[in-house]
Amino acid sequence: EDQVTQSPEALRLQEGESSSLNCSYTVSGLRGLFWYRQDPGKGPEFLFTLYSAGEEKEKERLKATLTKKESFLHITAPKPEDSATYLCAVQADDYKLSFGAGTTVTVRA
Amino acid sequence: DVKVTQSSRYLVKRTGEKVFLECVQDMDHENMFWYRQDPGLGLRLIYFSYDVKMKEKGDIPEGYSVSREKKERFSLILESASTNQTSMYLCASSSVRTDQPYGYTFGSGTRLTVV
C-alpha cells in the first residue's frame, strides 16, 4: 500500500525566514510525485511534478527536490502570501494519487 | 481556462436525507475522482471512475455511491446522510495522456454539514 507522510504538520515562520517541508513516501513503481498548494476553503492547486531522483523544480520562492525516499519543498524568504497548506502526493502505475495529510504554513509579517 | 466545477460551495443537510454532490469538468478528461478531506487525515479517496458508466471503490466507499452517465459529469450520492459524513468533499479529474503532468485538477470543494 502506498504511504505518504508529511512533516511537520504545522510551520510558523517569520517573513524572510527560509525553511523546508518534508514528504517521505513508500510506493511501488513511482510515476510521479506532486506538490499542491491549498488555501482555506478552496481546492488544491498544482505546483510541481517530479519524476525521478535528483530532479528539481522551482517557482518563485518555492523549490521542490526529489530523492528515492523523500521530497522536500524549500521556501526561500517567504512572504505572508505563501501561507497555505502544502500537500504532497505520489502516483503509482494505476493513475491514482495517494496524498499526505499536508503541512500548514503560516508566515507572519 | 480549464475547470472542474462543483455545484455547491456549502450545503447543510439533515440526518437521513439523500444528498447529491455534482461535479462537471470541461477538459475531456477520462478519469474522475471524489475525495473527502478532514483535519489531520488528509484527502481520502471515496470513489473513482476511468470511463463513462464505470466506477471503482476507493479507500472509504461505505455510505456513498456514484454515477457517471456522461464523460464530463461525476456525481457523488450519500444514500442516507449521517453526521460523520460532515466534511469537505473534493472532486478531481485527470487525463491518461502522458503529456499532461498535472496529476489532478481539483474543484473548489463542497463543505457539507449534516445536522
Side-chain angles (χ1 to χ4, degrees):
Chain A
E1 180 180 330
D2 302 339
Q3 286 195 323
V4 182
T5 303
Q6 292 188 246
S7 62
E9 291 185 13
L11 189 61
R12 294 176 63 87
L13 300 172
Q14 200 68 30
E15 185 172 4
E17 178 188 1
S18 301
S19 189
S20 295
L21 285 56
N22 178 263
C23 172
S24 62
Y25 64 91
T26 304
V27 63
S28 57
L30 180 72
R31 291 175 58 89
L33 184 141
F34 300 84
W35 283 99
Y36 291 86
R37 170 194 170 121
Q38 185 176 24
D39 293 306
K42 296 187 177 180
E45 292 185 3
F46 171 79
L47 290 174
F48 303 110
T49 308
L50 301 166
Y51 294 103
S52 57
E55 189 173 2
E56 298 181 352
K57 294 274 180 73
E58 284 190 71
K59 179 180 180 180
E60 296 181 354
R61 294 174 294 282
L62 300 177
K63 179 180 178 180
T65 62
L66 181 65
T67 72
K68 288 187 177 180
K69 293 185 177 181
E70 58 190 352
S71 177
F72 291 93
L73 184 66
H74 307 278
I75 310 178
T76 301
K79 298 181 177 181
E81 52 262 43
D82 295 321
S83 297
T85 296
Y86 292 87
L87 299 171
C88 171
V90 296
Q91 184 177 48
D93 292 335
D94 59 0
Y95 294 100
K96 287 189 292 182
L97 291 186
S98 297
F99 286 85
T103 295
T104 299
V105 175
T106 304
V107 183
R108 296 166 291 177
Chain B
D1 193 17
V2 295
K3 281 191 175 178
V4 175
T5 303
Q6 295 185 230
S7 55
S8 303
R9 291 298 305 275
Y10 300 95
L11 277 178
V12 180
K13 297 292 181 181
R14 294 192 181 278
T15 300
E17 277 193 75
K18 191 169 186 176
V19 181
F20 293 85
L21 303 182
E22 305 289 342
C23 175
V24 177
Q25 52 97 1
D26 64 1
M27 297 165 283
D28 200 36
H29 281 175
E30 296 82 5
N31 307 325
M32 296 189 74
F33 306 83
W34 275 106
Y35 283 87
R36 65 178 282 176
Q37 185 177 30
D38 301 288
L41 297 177
L43 277 73
R44 293 180 291 167
L45 182 64
I46 305 171
Y47 267 96
F48 60 101
S49 170
Y50 287 149
D51 201 353
V52 176
K53 296 191 184 293
M54 177 272 180
K55 60 185 178 183
E56 288 196 28
K57 294 180 180 179
D59 300 320
I60 52 164
E62 296 78 18
Y64 304 94
S65 63
V66 291
S67 172
R68 193 168 182 198
E69 296 296 319
K70 294 184 178 181
K71 188 176 185 180
E72 67 270 17
R73 186 179 297 271
F74 193 34
S75 302
L76 179 69
I77 303 157
L78 285 66
E79 298 291 344
S80 178
S82 63
T83 55
N84 62 12
Q85 293 179 310
T86 292
S87 185
M88 168 72 103
Y89 289 87
L90 290 164
C91 175
S93 70
S94 72
S95 173
V96 299
R97 290 173 52 187
T98 55
D99 63 343
Q100 295 190 353
Y102 303 118
Y104 295 173
T105 300
F106 284 88
S108 296
T110 296
R111 174 73 65 184
L112 173 67
T113 302
V114 182
V115 297

